[in-house]
Amino acid sequence: DPGFLESRILLNLDSEEDGIFYIGCAGGLDTIVRLEVGLEDPPSGWKAYDIEITGLVGGHSGADIHLGRANALKLLARALGAASRETELRVCDVRGGNKRNAIAREAGATVYLDPGKLERSKAVLARVQEDLATEFASTDPDLRISVEAASPNEGAKVMDRAGQETFRNLLQAIPHGVVAMSKAVPGLVETSTNAGVLSMKGNVVQIASLTRSSIDSAKMDVVDSIRCLGALAGASVETKGGYPGWNPN
C-alpha cells in the first residue's frame, strides 16, 4: 500500500559485504531479437562440421562488464564472417551462452563445407584465433577456436544465403559492453549491455540481451538501438522483465 512506508531515506544493504551501503543501482531490461531465415538442403557432397569458441573467462554482465572480457557470441560472428569470405560455408545451427546476465564463455555453429576446402577454412579460423588471442591476451588467454566433424540430424537444413548473411550481420552488429561511464562517480559503469544467449529453433534465430543503466532514459536508448537493428534486419524484437534504475545520490 502507498502509505505503508513513511520514511524519506532508504539504506540498501544488498552489497553482500558487511558495512557497505549502496548509493545507486542499475536498472535492467531484457531484449529478445528473433530472426526468421529461409532454409534449404545442404549443397550436394558437402559435410557438416562444428566450429566452437571455447576457453573464455566470462563473468557477470553487471559486475564484470567493465573488464573487457571477450564475448563468445561476438567472436562467433567474426569467425563465421572471416570463414565465409574466404571459403563458402552454410550455417545449419548456432548456439551460445546460457544466461542473459552472464558474459558468454562458449558459442558454436554447425556448418556445411566442401570437404576439399576444409583445410583452407581451418587455416582462416586459425588466423582469426591468432588475432583474437592478441586482442584478448590479458583477459582471455585460453581462447580457442576448433573445427571438428559433426553429426547433424538426418534431413538437416541450412540457412539460405540471404538469411545467413542477415543473421551474421545482425549478430556482429548487436551491441555488447560498456556504453557509458558515470560522469558523477569515477570508475562507475553507468550504462552497459550484454549479448547473452544465442539459440536457433526451426528457422528462427534468437539473440537475447540484457541492458543495464542507472538512468532509465539511457537504458531505453540502448534498447531502442537494438530495436532499430532488428527492424533493419527484418527481425521481431520483444522486451520484458524491466526494472528501474537508481541513479547514485
Side-chain angles (χ1 to χ4, degrees):
D1 293 335
F4 182 72
L5 294 176
E6 297 180 356
S7 298
R8 295 182 300 107
I9 296 175
L10 169 70
L11 299 181
N12 188 327
L13 307 179
D14 194 35
S15 69
E16 301 178 8
E17 299 177 67
D18 290 342
I20 300 295
F21 296 88
Y22 276 178
I23 62 167
C25 181
L29 185 63
D30 294 330
T31 307
I32 301 173
V33 180
R34 296 185 178 92
L35 175 69
E36 293 187 16
V37 297
L39 299 179
E40 58 190 28
D41 292 329
S44 178
W46 288 22
K47 293 185 178 180
Y49 300 89
D50 284 332
I51 299 174
E52 301 289 348
I53 311 287
T54 57
L56 276 58
V57 174
H60 190 274
S61 69
D64 301 317
I65 198 70
H66 64 292
L67 299 176
R69 294 172 181 169
N71 181 311
L73 308 190
K74 304 295 290 181
L75 301 194
L76 179 64
R78 292 175 62 174
L80 291 176
S84 61
R85 283 190 293 270
E86 296 267 352
T87 60
E88 186 180 6
L89 60 81
R90 304 299 294 279
V91 176
C92 173
D93 181 56
V94 290
R95 62 269 172 189
N98 56 17
K99 290 183 175 64
R100 80 203 195 296
N101 65 344
I103 301 169
R105 294 183 300 177
E106 299 176 349
T110 301
V111 304
Y112 277 81
L113 292 168
D114 179 346
K117 298 181 179 179
L118 175 61
E119 292 308 313
R120 184 177 173 186
S121 296
K122 285 184 175 181
V124 171
L125 292 172
R127 291 201 303 270
V128 173
Q129 176 177 305
E130 185 176 349
D131 290 341
L132 295 175
T134 299
E135 290 180 37
F136 297 99
S138 62
T139 60
D140 298 86
D142 297 323
L143 184 157
R144 183 170 181 266
I145 302 177
S146 62
V147 183
E148 303 289 345
S151 301
N153 295 330
E154 185 176 352
K157 302 288 186 179
V158 296
M159 298 181 189
D160 62 25
R161 287 184 175 85
Q164 179 172 306
E165 187 68 6
T166 299
F167 152 70
R168 195 196 64 76
N169 288 339
L170 178 61
L171 183 59
Q172 186 146 6
I174 287 284
H176 170 81
V178 175
V179 176
M181 301 296 290
S182 172
K183 301 167 186 62
V185 182
L188 176 67
V189 176
E190 184 176 270
T191 305
S192 67
T193 189
N194 178 62
V197 184
L198 170 67
S199 60
M200 183 173 179
K201 185 175 182 179
N203 73 325
V204 178
V205 180
Q206 180 171 293
I207 306 169
S209 298
L210 172 57
T211 300
R212 301 173 184 268
S213 182
S214 53
I215 300 178
D216 286 344
S217 59
K219 175 184 69 181
M220 293 310 303
D221 182 50
V222 177
V223 170
D224 283 343
S225 72
I226 297 174
R227 199 191 312 275
C228 290
L229 285 172
L232 290 170
S236 65
V237 180
E238 175 190 2
T239 58
K240 64 179 185 178
Y243 49 96
W246 174 18
N247 201 25
N249 180 348

